[in-house]
């Protein structure tokens, strides 16, 4: 089921999400609802807090060269821990919780990630490029941070002004 996406400046986006301990049917329903919400909103990544659930779960589904997303490529990432970050990459980021705004952000180019899958099994993956960027973006959500917090002071001021104007025009 597609659920409403929490949008900035909703205060829930500042919450630090809690570790997941129960790998039960309630978690599976949460992950399935996150998937429907992400795909039907044209997203490639979503953290649970973006549908108002402060738990350390995130999804990623990176499109192929034709821009198509495949269920087989879905990553369900629970309780992630990053190690061995290196390099630097600038990527234009977007976020379903900050609609219609895209900006260059600098992050680590490569990383190693440990996490649990929906059954609680421990997994590890190595990521680079867009996957690495998207993992860092989504883990920031679990820690109550948004990519707009990485902008320069001037760029952030400009964003706040433009975003308020856009929100008003939507009402
Ligand atoms: C770089 C870093 C992190 C990510 C993953 C998370 N971001 C998204 O999945 C963003 C999706 C998005 C989709 C939008 O909707 C459409 O394009 C139809 C969108 O547009 C509006 O809100 C109007 C904005 C963001 C990705 C890349
Ligand atoms: Co986001």
């Amino acid at each position: 089921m597609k659920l409403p996406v929490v949008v900035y400046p909703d205060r829930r986006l500042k919450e630090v999400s809690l570790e997941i301990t129960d790998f039960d049917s309630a978690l599976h329903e949460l992950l399935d609802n996150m998937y429907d919400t992400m795909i039907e909103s044209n997203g490639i990544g979503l953290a649970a807090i973006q549908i108002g659930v402060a738990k350390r779960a995130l999804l990623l589904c990176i499109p192929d060269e034709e821009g198509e997303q495949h269920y087989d490529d879905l990553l369900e990432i629970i309780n992630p821990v990053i190690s061995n970050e290196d390099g630097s990459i600038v990527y234009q980021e977007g976020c379903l919780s900050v609609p219609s705004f895209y900006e260059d952000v600098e992050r680590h180019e490569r990383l190693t990630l440990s996490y649990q899958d929906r059954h609680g099994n421990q997994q590890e993956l190595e990521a680079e490029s867009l996957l690495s960027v998207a993992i860092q973006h989504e883990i920031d959500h679990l820690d109550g941070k948004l990519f707009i917090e990485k902008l320069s002071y001037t760029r952030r001021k400009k964003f706040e002004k433009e975003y308020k104007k856009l929100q008003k025009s939507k009402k």
Side-chain angles (χ1 to χ4, degrees), residues 75-105:
L75 285 170
E76 294 180 328
I77 295 177
I78 294 152
N79 301 329
V81 179
I82 292 178
S83 58
N84 304 328
E85 297 167 304
D86 71 72
S88 156
I89 182 171
V90 175
Y91 207 96
Q92 190 177 61
E93 298 191 13
C95 179
L96 289 171
S97 295
V98 190
S100 306
F101 182 73
Y102 309 87
E103 189 55 85
D104 282 353
V105 174

Side-chain angles (χ1 to χ4, degrees), residues 13 45-47 50 93-98 137-138 141 145-147:
L13 293 168
L46 191 80
Q50 292 181 273
E93 298 191 13
C95 179
L96 289 171
S97 295
V98 190
H137 175 113
E138 299 306 334
H141 276 297
K145 293 184 224 140
L146 292 175
F147 77 108

Side-chain angles (χ1 to χ4, degrees), residues 27-133:
L27 173 66
H28 297 172
E29 192 181 342
L30 168 68
L31 294 168
D32 294 344
N33 288 338
M34 285 171 65
Y35 179 76
D36 292 344
T37 306
M38 177 178 76
I39 294 298
E40 290 178 38
S41 308
N42 292 307
I44 65 165
L46 191 80
I49 194 61
Q50 292 181 273
I51 56 164
V53 179
K55 292 187 175 173
R56 298 187 83 81
L58 65 91
L59 300 186
L60 289 166
C61 193
I62 303 293
D64 64 18
E65 306 85 67
E66 276 93 47
E68 302 287 330
Q69 285 170 294
H70 304 280
Y71 187 79
D72 283 356
D73 296 327
L74 175 66
L75 285 170
E76 294 180 328
I77 295 177
I78 294 152
N79 301 329
V81 179
I82 292 178
S83 58
N84 304 328
E85 297 167 304
D86 71 72
S88 156
I89 182 171
V90 175
Y91 207 96
Q92 190 177 61
E93 298 191 13
C95 179
L96 289 171
S97 295
V98 190
S100 306
F101 182 73
Y102 309 87
E103 189 55 85
D104 282 353
V105 174
E106 185 179 357
R107 299 203 186 255
H108 293 290
E109 155 95 86
R110 285 169 295 275
L111 57 82
T112 305
L113 187 76
S114 303
Y115 64 98
Q116 285 166 286
D117 64 19
R118 64 160 59 206
H119 305 293
N121 299 318
Q122 202 64 43
Q123 307 285 349
E124 193 168 279
L125 71 78
E126 301 211 338
E128 60 180 15
S129 190
L130 174 58
L131 180 59
S132 169
V133 167

Side-chain angles (χ1 to χ4, degrees), residues 155-166:
R155 191 65 194 95
R156 178 68 185 267
K157 284 275 163 215
K158 194 162 173 265
F159 158 75
E160 294 293 346
K161 206 172 153 189
E162 287 170 3
Y163 191 78
K164 269 183 202 137
K165 208 169 142 189
L166 188 75

